[in-house]
């Protein structure tokens, strides 16, 4: 049993290393070659676990070889467009000027239900709202709505707004995150002031968020807290 556990730990670390080496992508964002490598790696990793008589290197060696091959193909794809098109394909325009291209739908084997599902994933429920849509090499659909159907922005309404980064989690479950605090320019004095206003200590806080403008949100472990300014 100890041998199986040790093998599982080694293969777990190896697979995590392999996935990290191939880059950070969600499952739905994988290119075809990356998806194939991921499936092969997961299948190969199970072989030494199912049969302890199989040497561990029988699993380790092909995994490393496949990852190296994928890294090489990624490098070639960056350098040569022809390789990139061969391995990943290219985006396909499925809606242009508000009209669906049925030939492209047939080539991609996209049904109307597939198209509508992808559009709903982009918060589009009416086909007449779409000006342009393209199917990316990952299979996701990017959508540009018609100008008259787009939501009005602050810029359109000529409303001034500050460009600031999103708020950071300063305290998580009673633990102070000093790097996040420095990122928003919050001092310990300002932090202690906010906590004092809510009669809380760092250990009493479930979550606290703050941005560079001093706007804070804080919730204690007993649901005490709320919004505020530094």
């Amino acid at each position: 049993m100890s041998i199986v556990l040790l093998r599982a730990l080694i293969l777990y670390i190896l697979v995590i290393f392999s996935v990290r080496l191939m880059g950070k992508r969600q499952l739905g964002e994988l290119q075809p070659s990356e998806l194939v490598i991921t499936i092969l790696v997961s299948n190969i990793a199970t072989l030494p676990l199912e049969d302890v008589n199989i040497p561990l290197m029988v699993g380790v060696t092909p995994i490393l070889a496949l990852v190296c091959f994928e890294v090489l193909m990624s490098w070639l794809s960056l350098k040569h467009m022809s390789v990139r098109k061969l391995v990943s394909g290219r985006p396909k325009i499925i809606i242009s000027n508000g009209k669906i291209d049925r030939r492209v739908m047939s080539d991609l084997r996209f049904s109307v239900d597939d198209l509508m599902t992808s559009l709903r994933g982009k918060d589009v429920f009416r086909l007449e709202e779409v000006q342009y849509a393209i199917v990316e090499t990952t299979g996701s659909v990017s959508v540009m709505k018609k100008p008259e159907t787009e939501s009005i922005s602050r810029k359109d309404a000529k409303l001034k707004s500050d460009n600031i980064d999103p708020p950071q989690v300063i305290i998580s479950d009673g633990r102070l995150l000093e790097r996040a605090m420095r990122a928003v320019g919050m001092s310990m004095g300002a932090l202690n002031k906010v906590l004092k206003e809510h009669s809380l200590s760092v250990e009493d806080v479930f979550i606290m968020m703050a941005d560079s403008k001093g706007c804070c949100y804080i919730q204690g472990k007993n649901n005490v807290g709320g919004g505020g300014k530094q």
Side-chain angles (χ1 to χ4, degrees), residues 96-131:
S96 179
N97 199 28
K99 302 294 183 182
I100 298 174
D101 191 326
R102 295 178 62 187
R103 181 181 58 82
V104 173
M105 285 190 65
S106 178
D107 291 343
L108 295 173
R109 293 185 293 279
F110 247 53
S111 67
V112 173
D113 289 339
D114 293 332
L115 178 60
M116 292 307 300
T117 298
S118 298
L119 293 179
R120 287 194 294 270
K122 301 294 183 179
D123 296 326
V124 176
F125 291 82
R126 295 177 179 270
L127 271 172
E128 59 266 27
E129 295 180 0
V130 181
Q131 172 68 24

Side-chain angles (χ1 to χ4, degrees), residues 55-80:
L56 186 60
M57 291 304 296
V58 171
V60 171
T61 303
I63 289 176
L64 292 177
L66 286 171
V67 172
C68 291
F69 177 74
E70 172 58 26
V71 172
L72 175 62
M73 290 301 297
S74 298
W75 182 83
L76 289 174
S77 296
L78 287 174
K79 297 296 182 181
H80 304 284

Side-chain angles (χ1 to χ4, degrees), residues 100-223:
I100 298 174
D101 191 326
R102 295 178 62 187
R103 181 181 58 82
V104 173
M105 285 190 65
S106 178
D107 291 343
L108 295 173
R109 293 185 293 279
F110 247 53
S111 67
V112 173
D113 289 339
D114 293 332
L115 178 60
M116 292 307 300
T117 298
S118 298
L119 293 179
R120 287 194 294 270
K122 301 294 183 179
D123 296 326
V124 176
F125 291 82
R126 295 177 179 270
L127 271 172
E128 59 266 27
E129 295 180 0
V130 181
Q131 172 68 24
Y132 182 91
I134 185 169
V135 180
E136 308 293 355
T137 56
T138 60
S140 62
V141 177
S142 300
V143 180
M144 184 181 79
K145 298 174 70 174
K146 293 179 178 178
E148 62 268 22
T149 64
E150 292 181 347
S151 302
I152 190 169
S153 66
R154 287 178 174 266
K155 182 178 180 181
D156 297 328
K158 297 182 179 180
L159 297 174
K160 292 183 178 180
S161 60
D162 295 324
N163 295 323
I164 61 174
D165 291 338
Q168 301 281 331
V169 176
I170 305 299
I171 300 176
S172 175
D173 200 10
R175 185 166 59 93
L176 178 62
L177 307 179
E178 295 183 2
R179 179 179 296 180
M181 189 173 70
R182 290 194 297 268
V184 298
M186 176 181 279
S187 65
M188 281 302 300
L191 174 64
N192 291 330
K193 180 182 177 182
V194 174
L195 294 177
K196 185 176 180 180
E197 290 175 355
H198 293 88
S199 301
L200 293 170
S201 64
V202 172
E203 293 75 16
D204 297 328
V205 176
F206 175 64
I207 184 170
M208 177 179 175
M209 302 182 70
D211 60 26
S212 57
K213 288 293 183 180
C215 295
C216 302
Y217 173 83
I218 183 169
Q219 179 179 326
K221 295 181 179 179
N222 295 322
N223 294 326

